[in-house]
Amino acid sequence: MNVLIVEDEARIAAFVERGLKAEGFGVQIAPDGETGYALACNEDIDLVVLDLMLPGLSGEEVLARLRQRRPDVPVIILTARDAVEDRVRNLNNGADDYVTKPFSFVELLARIHARLRARDQVSATELTAGGVTLDLRTRTARIEGHEVSLTAREFALLENFMRHPNQVLSQVQLMDRVWGYDFDPGSNVVEVYVGYLRRKLRKDLIETVRGAGYRLRTS
Ligand code: CA
């Protein structure tokens, strides 16, 4: 994963670079807007961390031009400008996230990971785990060559399991992700829907982990 840091303050650029390299990222640095824009157009760059106040082209201009060339590359604004209007304007103009200085590296890192995850989820069209294939475009599931019809909730629940194979997901996590705010915390709706998935797909596909939650087994 390659991150481009567009930042004129060498000290900040070096700080972020050091942290990202330690996390295994490839890092490029651009000290001004023109260089930043030119490098960001390169398809090898997976994410851009963009300062707003830059010599030459401003960060806002870089963002506007970049959105014409690469509408999907994640851009996180990193700036000392913390006014709500700046934040809203840049998010409206296509920034994916906004971090204000002074900032903690762990927060920036968490946001970088979140943006990259979101991008991967959008670009994947098919998930496969535990012998089940889920087509995210047609919203259909297949098991052993048979197509299985699922309701919207069943599909969303299964998708969550398939994105985290073998990982235990708690009832609260699943409710939060699949039912959103629209649930009663005392409800057994997750259990009921896990039952539907087992019946429609395979009995041992989703395992109950007593006191912890459920997990999709791949072996
Ligand atoms: Ca600056």
Side-chain angles (χ1 to χ4, degrees):
M1 286 289 165
N2 292 309
V3 175
L4 171 66
I5 305 166
V6 188
E7 171 66 73
D8 59 322
E9 281 179 66
R11 191 178 48 86
I12 293 180
F15 168 68
V16 176
E17 177 186 33
R18 209 163 44 239
L20 288 177
K21 281 191 168 163
E23 292 291 323
F25 286 94
V27 178
Q28 291 187 52
I29 295 177
D32 61 72
E34 276 82 9
T35 314
Y37 172 69
L39 290 175
C41 288
N42 185 338
E43 296 288 329
D44 291 348
I45 297 295
D46 297 295
L47 183 142
V48 180
V49 175
L50 180 63
D51 184 21
L52 289 181
M53 286 180 275
L54 291 165
L57 270 188
S58 74
E60 291 189 27
E61 289 167 312
V62 172
L63 176 62
R65 291 191 191 184
L66 185 59
R67 279 298 170 242
Q68 310 251 322
R69 280 284 292 273
R70 294 188 68 196
D72 298 327
V73 66
V75 175
I76 299 178
I77 303 280
L78 179 63
T79 179
R81 284 200 214 155
D82 59 356
V84 174
E85 309 86 79
D86 287 321
R87 189 180 282 260
V88 169
R89 192 175 59 251
N90 281 286
L91 290 171
N92 282 339
N93 288 343
D96 295 279
D97 210 338
Y98 200 97
V99 177
T100 53
K101 299 170 185 169
F103 63 102
S104 77
F105 179 73
V106 286
E107 185 192 359
L108 178 64
L109 181 66
R111 287 173 187 248
I112 287 173
H113 279 305
R115 294 332 305 181
L116 291 173
R117 242 185 345 259
R119 185 205 57 174
D120 290 347
Q121 285 175 5
V122 169
S123 57
T125 56
E126 225 178 57
L127 297 172
T128 301
V132 178
T133 302
L134 213 50
D135 187 320
L136 301 173
R137 282 171 308 181
T138 61
R139 318 284 297 167
T140 52
R142 280 194 319 277
I143 184 164
E144 287 151 16
H146 301 290
E147 199 162 292
V148 178
S149 119
L150 298 173
T151 66
R153 290 279 200 225
E154 289 166 353
F155 188 91
L157 181 61
L158 182 59
E159 183 182 343
N160 265 279
F161 281 118
M162 294 189 57
R163 288 194 186 280
H164 309 278
N166 297 310
Q167 187 183 324
V168 177
L169 301 174
S170 76
Q171 182 152 320
V172 171
Q173 274 175 327
L174 291 167
M175 277 192 163
D176 194 42
R177 290 177 190 172
V178 178
W179 281 268
Y181 294 104
D182 189 20
F183 68 80
D184 161 13
S187 129
N188 68 341
V189 68
V190 173
E191 190 189 329
V192 170
Y193 273 79
V194 165
Y196 294 156
L197 290 179
R198 284 175 178 149
R199 224 165 304 151
K200 287 190 172 181
L201 296 161
R202 203 176 60 233
K203 229 176 86 196
D204 63 356
L205 180 68
I206 298 167
E207 177 187 35
T208 302
V209 182
R210 203 168 285 281
Y214 301 90
R215 68 172 178 163
L216 182 139
R217 297 186 51 150
T218 60
S219 55

